[in-house]
Amino acid sequence: MIDLGAAVAALLAFLVLPFAFVDDMRSGLGWLMSGRWHFAPSVLATLAVGFLATRGVATAGMRLIVATLGLGWMIVYAFFGDMIDGRKLLAHGIGAAVIASALVLQGTRALATLGAFKADRWVATTTVTILVLVLTFVFFPVAKVLTSAFVDKAGTLDMSLFWARLTAPDVWGIACFYSSSACGVVTNTVVLGALAGLISTFLGLAFALLAQRGGMKNTRIFDALSVLPIITPPFVIALALVVLFGRTGIVTTILDNWFNIPRSRWIYGLPGVLIAQVLSQTPLSYMILRGALQGISPSLEEAAQTLRASRWVTFKTVTWPLLRPAIAASILLGFVESLADFGNPLVLGGSFEVLSTKIFFAVAGAQHDPGRAAILAVILLALTLTAFWMQLVWLGKKSYVTVTGKGDSGQPLPLPKGVRIATLSVVIPWIILTILIYGIIVVGGFVKDIGRGAMTPTFEHFHTGFAVEWTERGLFLAGSAWDSFNTTVMVSAIAAPLTTLIGILTAYVLVRHDFVGRRTFEFITMLAFAIPGTVIGVAYIVAFNVAPLELTGTGLILIICFVFRNMPVGVRAGIAALSQIDKSLDEASTTLGASTGTTVRRVTLPLLKPAIIATLVFSFVHAMTSVSAIVFLVTAKYNMATAYIVNRVDAGEYPLAIAYSSLLIIFMLIVVLAIQFFVGERKIGRRAVAAPVVSIGAS
Amino acid sequence: MAKAASVEFINVFKRYGDVAAVRGVSFKVEAGQLVTLLGPSGCGKTTTLRLVAGLELASEGTIRIGNDDVTQLGAAERDVSMVFQSYALFPHMNVLDNVMYGPLVSGASKKDAEAMAAEKLGLVGLKGYEKRLPSELSGGQQQRVAVARAIVLEPSVLLFDEPLSNLDAKLRRKVRDDIRDLQSRLGLTVLYVTHDQEEALAVSDKVIVMDNAVIAQEGTPSDLYERPKTRFLADFIGEANLIDGTFSSNAQGATFSAHGMTLDLGAVQLPEHAKTLAFRPDRVGIAPDPASPLAIRRQAYIGPSREYVIDAPWGELLIVRPVREPIIPNGTAVRLLMEPGAAMAIPG
């Protein structure tokens, strides 16, 4: 039935829906009548498969062949049609998408009928659909970037040009270590990343130790501080730093007036970018390390103490070694995040160039050299992948996390006195700095020009951005920022559920089903984790600017970009949640006669609810705040809040930028709280810990 | 529940890559019988159980339930239910919803499903607990909910995967008897996996012992205990003393000699290539004999009986005697007195 339905849908799409995307509304039939017959065979293929499916299981092999041929022909014509019939390539549209989906669905079902995916059609369809989407919207564009790094502006292969671009002195130079001239962009990026990873981990560790072992009654302030960066657009911290420490900044002015310390531009460059990145990364390190500390069973430390180890010796010989994997993970994450960061270097970098900004200027700047952007993107990608690879190899076998499901009594060891004092002396100034920064953001929108010390209260900035007027035609959003704000909310609201759906389904298929090719599937989705936003941005421009998938300039490309940028988070949350849910729950449902679909709907999804909500919130918030990829993709028609703010910063309109940022932060806080309020937590056990039934498991 | 069906394996293999978890296994469980699969961990017993459930599909061979070939059917399509080791109760549903789940997903109306669930909950003695969440029940109660959920669809075959392993020792005995009771009352076909040999002997009509992916021996509990076919079985089920040596038979019966010592075994059936003598510690008496090379090293009083550890030229022997027999002091040289039928000759 489903196969036949797909065929009918494909036929309808062929007859009615516009086949091409942008300007031409002709359907597949319309094109056929004007002499372009090349879409007809694929539709005929879906019809044939739909018919064959009514003839039972025996036709599965035939169906697979026909569907593959139909789809193969579609792809060949889409990319090489100009060589076949000498006409311009078409930008494929919704009609083509429906036909292609029908063929994928039919082919997959035939494949499952033949025994692949353990004959489970639901798993087969889900897996292949996700795979096709990831290949189209992650791997295809990235591959296109990789190839464009090897060609010149005319599009011919040029290895010497590639080599010249790769070895340019402004890429790899290390002159800054021994002379006053600048280093290459790769050197800058790596040094910045390493420092950001190390320092944020150090700070995160201090926070975690204090929260978990410092004998503090109330660690709420730590948790509150750790949520802030998640809802803060990445460059906002940079903005606040400029306001505080820039040449006319508040702190700079105070130091100049009171202590005669001369004004300087030290904040622009490595120090500023580093501080901004460490500020946003420290909370993440804190969460990783606090989790790891919680995972260390107190009885291990008690065991060490009963063996006569002092507090300090216990810390050194038991606690610290058990923490090491988490520390390495935190450093690597800090490194990778720093590499991917675009907003902070853009605002604070000055003449200190890193890969992500240099890529942006190679595309958007005056030099406009996509080939150069491509090669830098390749280097950035290689660096990130290396870090991920290291994490895999290095940490793969070294997880000591001890989640037993048994109640573990015992008290965690308090910190040795010296360590406690040391952590406090690091943590307290840091908290003050953080509060100062958010204070700036809150106040900055309401005063004349905080960057120049003009502190007259005013609503002027909010008025410019968000004025609302009553006219005879009703409410009119007169403020200059409304367009970008509305687009952002809409795009994020559409992208978030899609992200969650794809991410959680991927996790489900990965954790719960074993099939030939599962490892490859896992590898491909994991690899998508590693690609920095800037690379994706460049890749989307390179790949989706031309037929057959011409998407740039549309709102759709923004949604697609967010879905595949944030999907990994859903996958991770899903995998983490699913591995806490014993597989026998699924099996119990199956032995009671439920199909896979029913099991997912009635057992797995309800248990995954917390992970689903977390992913929804995260992907919404992340879509609202991200800059790196979408800054390449926005247009005048579809502008996004962050891109708008970046432009204000570029134009020196700091107060408006700050006002807009604070509004964004408050909006997201409200959304997050509202979701939590309405969805709530469902009671699964009366105990606070996960119900033991779930965690017993392993047989 | 008249529809209990037999289960038959015909030369079934299950391979994971190069490793076979089940290698050429054939057996039959008659309708209405309780059969246990017993073996050390990793022997393939759980895989066999999952093959019956349809949670794994056989790589080769045929599986029949009743008269139907179910080899290619998935778990949802087989009329088989399972009680999981972890119970696998859905933590987000209360007791009633858990038990109703089966009928509901098979298309029964809510009212029917509720009636079926209530009946089975009564059967396992959990009336009044319908609204509780699994996390609000004790381990024993959770186990009974799992049983109620498994029998609610009145399956032709009911499977138990180590159902007692999460219970404490006292409770284990009671639940074991409850399961046996329920099984015989409802006439269920039950296949039961355990690694505890005492549990297996106590509940089963028939025991299938698996070792290393194949069936080592199958038979009634007394068959297995009294006539083990291999060294592994003699040692795995109950305690046994094992001595390698040579057997010879004459008109009066058989004798066994090893390490310069000869034992009269009385009437005993010698298999071909008999090489090892096995006997249970409580089936052999001891008497002081200064000429014997065996001597008591130590002894322990354990209530109903006394355990002697005896030094022998090949190692040591364990002998268990009732406490009413006179105490023999440590260091005494003793000889063995075989009770009739105590000796088991095992091929090498």
Side-chain angles (χ1 to χ4, degrees):
Chain A
M1 269 322 286
I2 293 178
D3 294 87
L4 203 55
V8 172
L11 182 62
L12 285 176
F14 178 73
L15 296 177
V16 184
L17 291 175
F19 198 89
F21 197 30
V22 205
D23 31 11
D24 197 317
M25 296 304 280
R26 260 179 292 183
S27 69
L29 185 67
W31 284 103
L32 182 64
M33 290 195 295
S34 54
R36 215 158 168 165
W37 54 270
H38 305 88
F39 318 113
S42 302
V43 180
L44 289 178
T46 63
L47 290 173
V49 176
F51 172 72
L52 283 171
T54 60
R55 292 300 165 97
V57 178
T59 62
M62 193 64 178
R63 265 143 59 193
L64 180 61
I65 295 171
V66 174
T68 312
L69 285 177
L71 191 65
W73 167 248
M74 234 179 139
I75 295 170
V76 168
Y77 187 75
F79 285 93
F80 306 105
D82 50 350
M83 293 181 210
I84 295 170
D85 62 5
R87 300 195 219 198
K88 212 161 95 22
L89 287 181
L90 267 187
H92 282 49
I94 182 77
V98 172
I99 296 169
S101 315
L103 284 167
V104 168
L105 178 74
Q106 290 175 330
T108 315
R109 289 172 63 82
L111 198 62
T113 311
L114 287 172
F117 297 97
K118 288 203 168 169
D120 193 323
R121 287 182 186 171
W122 192 92
V123 174
T125 314
T126 310
T127 311
V128 173
T129 307
I130 293 168
L131 197 64
V132 168
L133 288 173
V134 170
L135 287 177
T136 313
F137 293 112
V138 180
F139 278 74
F140 165 63
V142 171
K144 200 125 186 207
V145 164
L146 293 181
T147 50
S148 76
F150 293 91
V151 297
D152 62 17
K153 278 183 180 169
T156 45
L157 185 73
D158 189 343
M159 279 313 282
S160 61
L161 182 64
F162 167 76
W163 196 244
R165 281 168 173 165
L166 185 65
T167 54
D170 65 341
V171 174
W172 300 98
I174 51 165
C176 59
F177 289 116
Y178 51 81
S179 72
S180 58
S181 46
C183 265
V185 63
V186 171
T187 318
N188 285 349
T189 309
V190 171
V191 168
L192 175 68
L195 287 175
L198 283 170
I199 297 174
S200 58
T201 302
F202 175 73
L203 286 166
L205 181 63
F207 274 96
L209 284 174
L210 210 55
Q212 204 61 30
R213 304 292 174 88
M216 310 234 327
K217 289 268 165 356
N218 198 341
T219 56
R220 276 244 184 95
I221 182 163
F222 289 8
D223 294 329
L225 287 180
S226 68
V227 177
L228 280 175
I230 297 170
I231 56 166
T232 309
F235 47 82
V236 170
I237 291 175
L239 263 180
L241 283 177
V242 171
V243 168
L244 282 172
F245 301 109
R247 239 184 93 73
T248 56
I250 297 169
V251 175
T252 314
T253 309
I254 291 173
L255 291 178
D256 184 30
N257 292 351
W258 295 0
F259 304 101
N260 261 337
I261 297 173
R263 295 170 186 268
S264 76
R265 299 179 56 86
W266 67 272
I267 195 80
Y268 296 99
L270 178 67
V273 180
L274 183 59
I275 293 174
Q277 288 186 345
V278 169
L279 271 163
S280 45
Q281 183 61 28
T282 300
L284 295 179
S285 298
Y286 161 69
M287 284 192 278
I288 292 176
L289 294 168
R290 183 169 185 189
L293 269 175
Q294 278 169 339
I296 297 173
S297 162
S299 52
L300 292 176
E301 291 172 332
E302 286 177 345
Q305 282 186 294
T306 58
L307 297 167
R308 311 277 157 77
S310 70
R311 266 201 213 177
W312 173 244
V313 171
T314 305
F315 181 80
K316 210 175 62 176
T317 55
V318 177
T319 321
W320 176 250
L322 289 174
L323 266 184
R324 264 193 319 229
I327 287 178
S330 161
I331 294 175
L332 278 172
L333 182 70
F335 180 74
V336 169
E337 289 286 320
S338 162
L339 253 54
D341 183 21
F342 171 76
N344 290 315
L346 186 71
V347 176
L348 282 171
S351 62
F352 179 79
E353 287 184 306
V354 293
L355 280 167
S356 58
T357 48
K358 204 158 172 94
I359 291 170
F360 175 69
F361 289 120
V363 172
Q367 42 176 324
H368 190 70
D369 186 353
R372 185 169 165 71
I375 196 109
L376 294 173
V378 170
I379 296 172
L380 180 54
L381 188 60
L383 283 175
T384 322
L385 289 181
T386 310
F388 271 87
W389 176 77
M390 272 168 66
Q391 190 174 14
L392 226 60
V393 172
W394 194 19
L395 298 174
K397 294 161 204 120
K398 276 199 198 162
S399 175
Y400 304 125
V401 178
T402 48
V403 179
T404 55
K406 287 180 201 151
D408 206 340
S409 56
Q411 285 297 311
L413 197 58
L415 285 180
K417 204 166 195 166
V419 178
R420 183 157 195 262
I421 292 168
T423 51
L424 272 175
S425 63
V426 171
V427 161
I428 290 171
W430 195 251
I431 290 181
I432 293 173
L433 181 61
T434 308
I435 292 172
L436 212 57
I437 280 176
Y438 282 91
I440 293 290
I441 296 164
V442 172
V443 176
F446 296 98
V447 299
K448 191 116 180 71
D449 189 348
I450 198 166
R452 300 207 160 71
M455 302 296 275
T456 330
T458 173
F459 283 106
E460 177 196 330
H461 313 307
F462 283 98
H463 187 78
T464 318
F466 297 98
V468 177
E469 285 167 11
W470 285 101
T471 64
E472 58 271 31
R473 290 171 55 211
L475 200 65
F476 178 64
L477 303 177
S480 63
W482 276 117
D483 274 350
S484 63
F485 183 77
N486 293 338
T487 310
T488 307
V489 173
M490 205 173 66
V491 165
S492 307
I494 297 173
L498 290 175
T499 313
T500 311
L501 182 73
I502 295 186
I504 300 280
L505 277 180
T506 306
Y508 174 75
V509 168
L510 279 177
V511 176
R512 281 298 194 264
H513 293 277
D514 202 4
F515 47 86
V516 179
R518 194 188 73 98
R519 305 283 307 185
T520 320
F521 181 62
E522 184 173 7
F523 180 72
I524 285 174
T525 52
M526 293 292 168
L527 210 57
F529 284 14
I531 303 169
T534 324
V535 177
I536 287 280
V538 172
Y540 271 36
I541 288 199
V542 171
F544 299 130
N545 216 2
V546 290
L549 289 167
E550 196 178 324
L551 299 170
T552 48
T554 65
L556 188 62
I557 197 171
L558 295 172
I559 295 172
I560 292 174
C561 178
F562 285 136
V563 169
F564 292 96
R565 289 292 297 143
N566 296 332
M567 172 188 131
V569 178
V571 178
R572 274 193 220 177
I575 286 180
L578 277 167
S579 33
Q580 295 287 314
I581 302 171
D582 194 51
K583 197 175 173 178
S584 62
L585 291 171
D586 290 23
E587 292 176 349
S589 172
T590 311
T591 58
L592 291 167
S595 67
T596 308
T598 309
T599 304
V600 169
R601 195 163 46 82
R602 301 192 69 136
V603 177
T604 321
L605 283 183
L607 290 173
L608 278 178
K609 210 161 142 191
I612 291 174
I613 293 167
T615 311
L616 260 180
V617 169
F618 179 89
S619 48
F620 180 78
V621 164
H622 211 246
M624 298 265 317
T625 58
S626 85
V627 193
S628 55
I630 58 117
V631 80
F632 294 89
L633 304 175
V634 293
T635 55
K637 192 172 170 201
Y638 295 103
N639 203 356
M640 299 282 288
T642 49
Y644 180 89
I645 299 175
V646 165
N647 285 335
R648 299 283 72 72
V649 175
D650 224 24
E653 299 169 30
Y654 283 21
L656 179 54
I658 289 178
Y660 199 162
S661 303
S662 58
L663 193 89
L664 270 186
I665 292 174
I666 289 163
F667 178 78
M668 281 181 286
L669 257 183
I670 292 170
V671 170
V672 171
L673 291 177
I675 291 180
Q676 267 177 358
F677 179 79
F678 285 114
V679 184
E681 298 262 323
R682 183 155 180 185
K683 189 179 155 199
I684 284 182
R686 68 178 158 189
R687 277 153 252 195
V689 198
V693 211
V694 187
S695 44
I696 290 171
S699 52
Chain B
M1 258 182 234
K3 58 178 187 135
S6 61
V7 176
E8 193 176 5
F9 269 46
I10 303 163
N11 201 25
V12 172
F13 285 77
K14 176 67 193 177
R15 297 190 187 85
Y16 300 102
D18 293 340
V19 191
V22 167
R23 204 152 12 112
V25 165
S26 304
F27 64 83
K28 185 160 189 190
V29 180
E30 298 295 345
Q33 268 195 340
L34 194 161
V35 173
T36 40
L37 285 165
L38 174 66
S41 58
C43 70
K45 57 188 191 304
T46 297
T47 307
T48 306
L49 195 76
R50 293 169 62 83
L51 283 165
V52 179
L55 293 170
E56 309 280 348
L57 292 182
S59 316
E60 203 181 300
T62 307
I63 300 173
R64 287 172 183 284
I65 293 179
N67 293 320
D68 305 324
D69 182 342
V70 297
T71 317
Q72 294 305 323
L73 294 186
E77 293 150 306
R78 296 189 192 183
D79 189 13
V80 173
S81 285
M82 180 154 164
V83 176
F84 289 82
Q85 184 176 19
S86 62
Y87 313 143
L89 299 179
F90 306 128
H92 57 304
M93 300 182 192
N94 65 28
V95 167
L96 187 66
D97 288 337
N98 260 288
V99 182
M100 277 168 63
Y101 185 85
L104 270 188
V105 298
S106 338
S109 75
K110 192 151 188 261
K111 211 173 127 222
D112 291 348
E114 231 175 274
M116 289 164 82
E119 183 205 333
K120 297 301 183 293
L121 281 172
L123 216 54
V124 297
L126 279 178
K127 252 200 176 71
Y129 289 84
E130 286 86 353
K131 296 292 167 207
R132 298 265 194 107
L133 285 173
S135 55
E136 295 167 336
L137 299 177
S138 73
Q141 291 168 330
Q142 290 179 8
Q143 209 264 356
R144 281 186 278 160
V145 177
V147 171
R149 190 179 65 179
I151 60 175
V152 72
L153 287 174
E154 316 201 335
S156 357
V157 181
L158 180 58
L159 308 175
F160 285 89
D161 186 8
E162 310 226 7
L164 310 183
S165 61
N166 288 320
L167 303 174
D168 63 51
K170 269 259 162 59
L171 200 55
R172 215 173 278 184
R173 205 182 177 106
K174 180 182 176 317
V175 172
R176 183 176 92 187
D177 295 342
D178 287 348
I179 289 176
R180 179 59 159 163
D181 225 37
L182 196 72
Q183 180 265 337
S184 48
R185 200 143 46 97
L186 303 177
L188 298 168
T189 307
V190 169
L191 195 58
Y192 186 112
V193 159
T194 179
H195 63 263
D196 181 333
Q197 45 96 14
E198 190 193 321
E199 190 180 320
L201 296 183
V203 298
S204 317
D205 292 312
K206 181 163 98 174
V207 180
I208 299 173
V209 183
M210 289 189 71
D211 183 34
N212 218 350
V214 297
I215 293 182
Q217 188 174 353
E218 58 180 297
T220 62
S222 63
D223 270 346
L224 287 171
Y225 188 75
E226 284 158 32
R227 283 173 291 281
K229 277 195 203 146
T230 64
R231 236 187 125 93
F232 161 78
L233 278 150
D235 202 31
F236 183 70
I237 296 180
E239 295 260 17
N241 292 297
L242 298 164
I243 313 165
D244 289 339
T246 36
F247 290 86
S248 55
S249 54
N250 53 34
Q252 287 85 45
T255 55
F256 173 76
S257 45
H259 306 276
M261 198 190 68
T262 303
L263 272 175
D264 265 330
L265 304 179
V268 62
Q269 282 251 308
L270 289 187
E272 262 185 83
H273 309 296
K275 198 184 132 213
T276 306
L277 173 69
F279 55 89
R280 304 290 175 196
D282 56 340
R283 301 287 305 274
V284 172
I286 43 175
D289 178 0
S292 169
L294 311 178
I296 293 173
R297 192 198 314 161
R298 58 185 146 83
Q299 48 187 287
Y301 168 78
I302 55 160
S305 49
R306 188 176 294 281
E307 291 183 357
Y308 292 95
V309 175
I310 295 172
D311 272 328
W314 57 85
E316 53 183 40
L317 286 174
L318 177 71
I319 302 293
V320 178
R321 300 310 304 165
V323 275
R324 65 187 134 75
E325 286 188 6
I327 298 171
I328 307 175
N330 288 350
T332 316
V334 291
R335 77 190 138 84
L336 302 178
L337 307 165
M338 283 283 169
E339 286 177 16
M344 304 181 284
I346 290 168

